[in-house]
């Protein structure tokens, strides 16, 4: 009589893939339980619950249920801090889309569910974007381009996600971006995004890591993250493949060999501390997409 899913954090952009690329993480995650009901209700508990709207029209999961035309009660146990750059609004939307599809045997494909979940994202971000819901549902590394969406498996690698105690509004982080970029910058960004996909295709995490840095996103947004370059250098000195801002920040992700993750996480957090910034760390790996549990 109910379906319960685990919907994980995601990291959009992956350096150069602004609004296009995303990667699924295993941790942190939300647990979402959906059951048929007389009317649509949403209950949120856990991380940041007080700041998450529970009215269906304003909640990303609620918008998805409305879009799918089902009266359900949705219970969200939130594990992803709102405003972290880790897809906190995408996970409930993606998880709810998968759960309702399963509960009512609606027969949507995963790709179709991505577009339904993307409509839910509009409730949080004001615009439809799928660069977090795509990896959340499909897993791995995803590409969203116009109405195309697909995913690719990634080579084995660890992911360190450091969430500093800094607030970055996605809206403000978008306002600082230039509307046009010089040719040279476009070439660099296309090069980096291409390298990333080449690294995924060749299953070479070194190429993926190298592609993450000196991108458009980093250039205009690292200013919001106090200590950014020191924290990044600390990870690189200890053998990270590469470091990037997760989505619009403030989380920074370091792709690393699995065995180096915990020392890299410690070093990154210590650097933040030196800059007077508290932080928390997630040591994880690439996620497989929403799981029914
Ligand atoms: N790609 C968006 C941005 C945010 O960087 O502004 C995340 O979905």
């Amino acid at each position: 009589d109910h379906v319960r899913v685990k919907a994980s954090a995601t990291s959009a952009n992956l350096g150069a893939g602004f609004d296009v690329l995303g990667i699924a993480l295993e941790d942190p995650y939300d647990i979402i339980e959906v059951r048929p009901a007389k009317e649509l209700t949403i209950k949120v508990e856990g991380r940041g619950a007080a700041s998450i709207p529970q009215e269906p029209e304003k909640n990303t999961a609620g918008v998805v249920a409305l879009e799918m035309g089902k009266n359900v009660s949705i219970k969200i146990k939130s594990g992803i801090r709102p405003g972290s750059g880790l897809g906190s609004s995408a996970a409930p939307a993606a998880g709810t889309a998968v759960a309702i599809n399963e509960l009512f045997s609606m027969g949507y494909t995963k790709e179709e569910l991505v577009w339904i979940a993307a409509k839910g994202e509009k409730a949080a971000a004001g615009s439809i974007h799928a660069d977090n819901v795509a990896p959340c549902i499909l897993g791995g590394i995803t590409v969203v381009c116009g109405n195309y969406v697909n995913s690719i498996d990634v080579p084995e690698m660890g992911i360190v996600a450091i969430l500093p105690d800094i607030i970055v509004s996605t809206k403000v982080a978008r306002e600082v971006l230039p509307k046009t970029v010089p040719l040279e910058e476009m070439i660099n960004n296309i090069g980096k995004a291409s390298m990333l996909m080449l690294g995924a295709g060749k299953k070479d995490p070194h190429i993926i890591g190298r592609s993450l840095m000196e991108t458009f996103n980093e250039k205009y947004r690292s200013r919001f993250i106090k200590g950014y370059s020191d924290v990044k250098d600390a990870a690189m000195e200890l053998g990270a493949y590469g470091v990037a801002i997760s989505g619009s920040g403030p989380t920074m992700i370091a792709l690393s060999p699995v065995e180096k993750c915990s020392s890299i996480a410690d070093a990154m957090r210590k650097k933040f501390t030196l800059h007077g910034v508290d932080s928390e760390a997630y040591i994880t790996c690439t996620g497989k997409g929403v799981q029914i549990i």
Side-chain angles (χ1 to χ4, degrees):
D1 68 328
H2 72 280
V3 171
R4 187 202 262 186
V5 300
K6 174 179 161 185
S8 300
T10 46
S11 180
N13 301 334
L14 277 180
F18 186 76
D19 279 359
V20 171
L21 300 180
I23 188 169
L25 274 54
E26 271 288 316
D27 253 330
Y29 55 83
D30 291 348
I31 301 287
I32 299 145
E33 212 175 87
V34 177
R35 57 183 76 231
K38 288 222 170 65
E39 54 172 352
L40 176 57
T41 58
I42 296 166
K43 199 171 148 225
V44 188
E45 55 183 53
R47 199 88 202 251
S51 67
I52 302 169
Q54 314 216 4
E55 303 96 302
E57 310 74 40
K58 293 186 186 153
N59 181 291
T60 60
V63 173
V64 166
L66 288 167
E67 189 65 33
M68 296 176 89
K70 298 294 179 193
N71 276 332
V72 284
S73 82
I74 304 172
K75 256 198 226 161
I76 301 168
K77 208 169 147 213
S78 165
I80 311 168
R81 191 194 89 177
S84 56
L86 287 170
S88 63
S89 58
T96 298
V98 171
I100 290 179
N101 186 51
E102 177 73 15
L103 189 62
F104 297 95
S105 305
M106 295 177 86
Y108 287 115
T109 63
K110 284 189 178 180
E111 288 72 20
E112 287 167 335
L113 292 171
V114 167
W115 302 120
I116 293 170
K119 291 189 182 157
E121 275 278 67
K122 191 166 193 280
S127 63
I128 292 184
H129 64 101
D131 56 348
N132 288 104
V133 290
C136 192
I137 290 178
L138 303 175
I141 288 180
T142 51
V143 173
V144 175
C145 187
N147 60 6
Y148 177 82
V149 60
N150 215 328
S151 66
I152 186 166
D153 287 343
V154 288
E156 202 204 18
M157 58 186 182
I159 303 176
V160 175
I162 306 289
L163 170 55
D165 197 3
I166 296 172
I167 302 293
V168 178
S169 129
T170 300
K171 193 167 166 276
V172 173
R174 289 186 86 85
E175 280 165 7
V176 300
L177 301 173
K179 295 280 168 284
T180 57
V181 294
L183 184 62
E184 209 178 304
E185 205 168 325
M186 186 194 79
I187 294 168
N188 173 58
N189 225 62
I190 291 175
K192 296 276 163 65
S194 306
M195 263 174 76
L196 190 137
M197 294 315 291
L198 194 89
K202 283 179 175 286
K203 301 233 169 287
D204 184 339
H206 293 95
I207 305 177
I208 296 179
R210 246 184 85 185
S211 79
L212 293 180
M213 297 168 294
E214 282 95 49
T215 64
F216 169 80
N217 201 38
E218 182 180 73
K219 178 172 171 187
Y220 295 101
R221 286 171 163 178
S222 52
R223 70 183 75 160
F224 294 114
I225 305 171
K226 199 175 167 201
Y228 180 85
S229 56
D230 283 349
V231 174
K232 171 180 153 180
D233 291 349
M236 294 309 292
E237 274 161 27
L238 286 173
Y241 297 127
V243 177
I245 299 172
S246 182
S248 57
T251 293
M252 292 171 67
I253 58 161
L255 304 183
S256 324
V258 176
E259 68 283 2
K260 292 184 179 165
C261 281
S262 74
S263 59
I264 287 172
D266 287 349
M268 292 173 82
R269 290 194 62 207
K270 277 202 188 108
K271 280 291 177 207
F272 266 129
T273 307
L274 284 178
H275 284 271
V277 178
D278 280 342
S279 64
E280 56 188 302
Y282 298 98
I283 294 177
T284 184
C285 58
T286 315
K288 293 176 188 61
V290 174
Q291 307 284 310
I292 296 168
I293 54 173

